[in-house]
């Protein structure tokens, strides 16, 4: 499960960085780029959820 921990931490780090960029772009008045950051953030959330489901299944298989 150590591998899952590091993958989750890296995905969360990417999400935090994307949110930071979105806030900076918004405060700078560059709202035309926010849509692309929002798409990237949504993709990262979906990828994190799929990874969570994968490692949950792997954990169940390893227990049997």
């Amino acid at each position: 499960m150590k591998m899952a921990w590091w993958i989750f931490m890296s995905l969360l780090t990417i999400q935090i960085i994307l949110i930071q960029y979105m806030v900076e772009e918004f405060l700078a008045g560059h709202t035309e780029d926010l849509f692309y950051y929002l798409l990237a953030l949504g993709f990262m959330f979906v990828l994190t959820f799929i990874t969570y489901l994968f490692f949950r299944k792997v954990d169940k298989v390893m227990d049997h």
Side-chain angles (χ1 to χ4, degrees), residues 14-63:
I14 293 170
Q15 290 172 1
I16 290 169
I17 291 170
L18 282 171
I19 291 171
Q20 177 187 353
Y21 282 154
M22 288 177 72
V23 170
E24 288 176 4
E25 290 290 321
F26 179 76
L27 292 176
H30 303 146
T31 56
E32 65 274 357
D33 295 333
L34 287 179
F35 179 70
Y36 299 110
Y37 285 122
L38 186 64
L39 286 177
L41 187 62
F43 174 75
M44 289 309 300
F45 279 127
V46 169
L47 185 65
T48 302
F49 183 70
I50 290 171
T51 306
Y52 168 74
L53 291 177
F54 172 75
F55 278 110
R56 194 173 72 176
K57 294 263 185 194
V58 167
D59 201 31
K60 283 183 183 177
V61 169
M62 289 182 70
D63 286 341

